[in-house]
């Protein structure tokens, strides 16, 4: 029974690949280089017995606490609550710091592992949703298509980088695609919103609102990141273990289906449900991104379709046949997504830690003969 359970998300061959997986990455970010002395000082303050995943999780809890207030006070993705924005900027700074030193703590304690890589990037995928929705609220985008445009653009950037990593086995951040720049920009934006009020983003210059200009710039930057990732994949040698080029591009099918169907369905979303709609949309993309990460560390070909996408098929059919109420379909899809996502997180983590013989929030002592 245990053997079958361990192959729900990772096959027997994938478990063998986990044992040989080595992380490879590079970061050309200018801001990351400037922050390095501060991050090095921070990690030196941590006890050697503190597990890297615990560092990651504490940062995740910090930003989750701020998102809790966003849920309560910005249900329409607009409004003015200055203290929440200032609190969010502080919590995001804590998250950024802890997210930047968890890997350093892993190397410092000799506890680097595929589990830590999945846990780190898996939390990052959920935080991407937090920041997408929070930014929509800060910029007063409300139930307009600008909200969906921003949510789509931010995932275009983050997912394309992970998609490139899946195929090349190298996580690459250039000078303009690093999370550091994006997080610093978000921290600054939330703080300015809290100090001067959200109305600053609805001001216009030459007929262009500042919030619309910001979203347009973010969208262009995301398309640039996507283009760079496609170019990197095409310039890389074909990899039979990832299905060659066809495998690389078939892995993007799920993302394309979700993005197109949700963008079209959004026209039927009532303003009072825009928050739930954006959260569901973003978490669906976060799930697919995390599946990319698991497939990469396990050296497996990713499927173009997952069970979690079943309601998305009904969304597409409902666009033409109008069988179900759109609000009902949204709630069914949200519930289904939450159940599938939770099951995946719990089981995938259990499979990896069981394979590696380690614990999630404790550093497992190495055997004397290792």
């Amino acid at each position: 029974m245990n053997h079958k359970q361990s192959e729900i998300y990772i096959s027997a061959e994938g478990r063998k690949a986990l044992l040989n997986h080595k992380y490879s990455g590079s970061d050309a970010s200018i801001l990351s280089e400037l922050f390095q002395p501060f991050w090095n000082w921070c990690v030196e303050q941590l006890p050697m017995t503190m597990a890297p995943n615990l560092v990651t999780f504490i940062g995740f809890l910090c930003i989750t606490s701020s998102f809790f207030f966003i849920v309560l006070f910005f249900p329409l993705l607009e409004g003015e609550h200055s203290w929440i924005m200032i609190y969010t900027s502080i919590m995001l700074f804590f998250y950024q710091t802890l997210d930047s030193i968890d890997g350093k703590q892993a190397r410092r304690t000799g506890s680097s592992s595929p589990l830590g890589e999945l846990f780190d990037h898996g939390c990052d995928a959920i935080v991407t949703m937090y920041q997408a929705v929070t930014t929509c609220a800060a910029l007063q985008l409300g139930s307009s298509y600008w909200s969906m445009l921003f949510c789509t653009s931010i995932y275009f950037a983050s997912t394309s980088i992970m998609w490139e990593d899946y195929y090349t086995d190298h996580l690459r951040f250039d000078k303009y695609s690093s999370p550091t720049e994006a997080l610093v920009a978000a921290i600054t934006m939330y703080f300015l919103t809290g100090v001067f009020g959200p109305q600053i983003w609805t001001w216009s210059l030459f007929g262009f609102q500042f919030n619309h200009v910001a979203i347009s710039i973010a969208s262009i930057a995301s398309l640039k990141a996507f283009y760079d990732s496609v170019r990197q994949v095409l310039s890389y040698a074909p990899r039979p273990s990832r299905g060659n080029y066809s495998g690389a591009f078939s892995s993007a099918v799920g993302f394309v289906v979700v993005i197109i169907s949700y963008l079209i369905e959004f026209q039927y979303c009532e303003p009072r449900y825009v928050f739930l709609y954006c959260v569901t949309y973003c978490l669906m993309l976060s799930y697919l991104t995390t599946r990319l990460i698991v497939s990469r560390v396990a050296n497996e070909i990713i499927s173009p379709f997952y069970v979690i996408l079943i309601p998305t098929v009904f969304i597409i059919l409902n666009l033409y046949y109008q069988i179900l109420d759109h609000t009902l379909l949204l709630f069914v899809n949200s519930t289904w997504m939450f159940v599938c996502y939770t099951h995946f997180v719990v089981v995938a983590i259990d499979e990896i830690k069981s394979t590696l013989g380690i614990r999630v929030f404790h550093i497992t002592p190495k055997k004397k003969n290792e």
Side-chain angles (χ1 to χ4, degrees):
M1 181 178 296
N2 291 334
H3 177 72
K4 291 183 178 180
Q5 183 182 11
S6 65
E7 293 186 22
I8 295 178
Y9 294 107
I10 303 176
S11 66
E13 292 76 14
R15 293 200 306 274
K16 294 178 182 178
L18 279 175
L19 299 173
N20 299 315
H21 174 74
K22 298 295 182 182
Y23 172 78
S24 175
S26 59
D27 187 353
S29 165
I30 298 175
L31 287 181
S32 291
E33 186 174 350
L34 293 176
F35 274 111
Q36 285 301 327
F38 171 67
W39 292 337
N40 290 334
W41 178 84
C42 287
V43 76
E44 290 296 330
Q45 312 312 308
L46 301 179
M48 291 293 292
T49 55
M50 189 174 190
N53 288 339
L54 184 57
V55 178
T56 305
F57 191 61
I58 292 174
F60 179 74
L61 290 179
C62 286
I63 195 62
T64 299
S65 70
S66 67
F67 188 70
F68 174 77
F69 292 114
I70 299 296
V71 173
L72 290 180
F73 292 95
F74 294 89
L76 301 179
L77 295 183
E78 55 188 5
E80 183 173 359
H81 299 280
S82 297
W83 69 271
I84 294 179
M85 285 299 162
I86 293 177
Y87 177 76
T88 299
S89 69
I90 296 173
M91 290 300 102
L92 186 56
F93 174 75
F94 286 159
Y95 163 77
Q96 181 208 19
T97 300
L98 294 175
D99 185 53
S100 300
I101 68 175
D102 53 6
K104 294 179 181 293
Q105 177 71 352
R107 292 184 290 273
R108 180 171 173 246
T109 59
S111 56
S112 300
S113 71
L115 176 61
E117 190 174 340
L118 171 64
F119 196 85
D120 182 8
H121 295 158
C123 287
D124 290 342
I126 297 177
V127 172
T128 300
M129 179 274 290
Y130 288 170
Q131 297 316 301
V133 176
T134 300
T135 299
C136 289
L139 295 180
Q140 304 293 287
L141 298 180
S143 58
S144 69
Y145 258 103
W146 287 99
S147 292
M148 288 299 289
L149 176 60
F150 179 72
C151 290
T152 303
S153 66
I154 195 174
Y155 274 94
F156 246 88
S158 61
T159 302
S160 62
I161 293 171
M162 289 300 174
W163 173 70
E164 175 192 329
D165 181 26
Y166 165 75
Y167 194 76
T168 64
D169 263 340
H170 183 81
L171 186 59
R172 179 189 60 86
F173 296 123
D174 61 26
K175 292 182 179 180
Y176 309 106
S177 67
S178 172
T180 304
E181 275 73 15
L183 290 173
V184 169
I187 291 170
T188 303
M189 183 189 66
Y190 299 155
F191 186 78
L192 292 176
T193 303
V195 173
F196 299 106
Q199 66 273 6
I200 63 174
W201 305 114
T202 58
W203 293 347
S204 297
L205 183 65
F206 302 117
F208 298 99
Q209 286 188 193
F210 289 166
N211 53 0
H212 295 169
V213 172
I215 300 304
S216 299
I217 294 174
S219 300
I220 294 173
S222 297
L223 289 175
K224 172 64 165 55
F226 176 72
Y227 170 77
D228 288 342
S229 292
V230 172
R231 188 179 60 180
Q232 286 290 324
V233 169
L234 291 178
S235 64
Y236 208 77
R239 303 192 61 189
S241 62
R242 302 291 162 86
N244 292 320
Y245 291 131
S246 61
F249 287 97
S250 65
S251 64
V253 170
F255 292 97
V256 174
V257 170
V258 170
I259 290 173
I260 293 177
S261 61
Y262 273 74
L263 286 177
I264 297 176
E265 175 70 10
F266 186 69
Q267 63 184 306
Y268 302 105
C269 179
E270 297 181 31
R272 58 177 174 168
Y273 296 126
V274 64
F275 195 103
L276 178 62
Y277 194 94
C278 288
V279 167
T280 303
Y281 172 60
C282 290
L283 280 182
M284 191 73 75
L285 295 175
S286 292
Y287 174 90
L288 296 175
T289 301
T290 311
R291 290 301 300 259
L292 268 176
I293 299 170
V294 172
S295 296
R296 177 178 53 75
V297 298
N299 197 32
E300 295 184 322
I301 297 178
I302 194 169
S303 171
F305 186 84
Y306 294 111
V307 174
I308 198 173
L309 295 176
I310 291 178
T312 305
V313 175
F314 286 101
I315 289 178
I316 296 174
L317 294 176
N318 204 51
L319 290 172
Y320 295 96
Y321 299 105
Q322 303 292 319
I323 302 173
L324 298 176
D325 177 74
H326 295 283
T327 300
L328 174 62
L329 191 58
L330 171 60
F331 278 95
V332 170
N333 195 17
S334 300
T335 303
W336 179 256
M337 180 275 302
F338 178 79
V339 171
C340 290
Y341 207 141
T342 303
H343 183 270
F344 164 65
V345 170
V346 173
V347 176
I349 288 178
D350 181 69
E351 289 178 1
I352 294 178
K353 73 181 183 65
S354 298
T355 300
L356 301 176
I358 59 178
R359 302 166 70 181
V360 180
F361 295 120
H362 295 82
I363 296 178
T364 304
K366 293 185 177 181
K367 298 180 181 179
K368 292 183 178 181
N369 59 349
E370 290 185 353

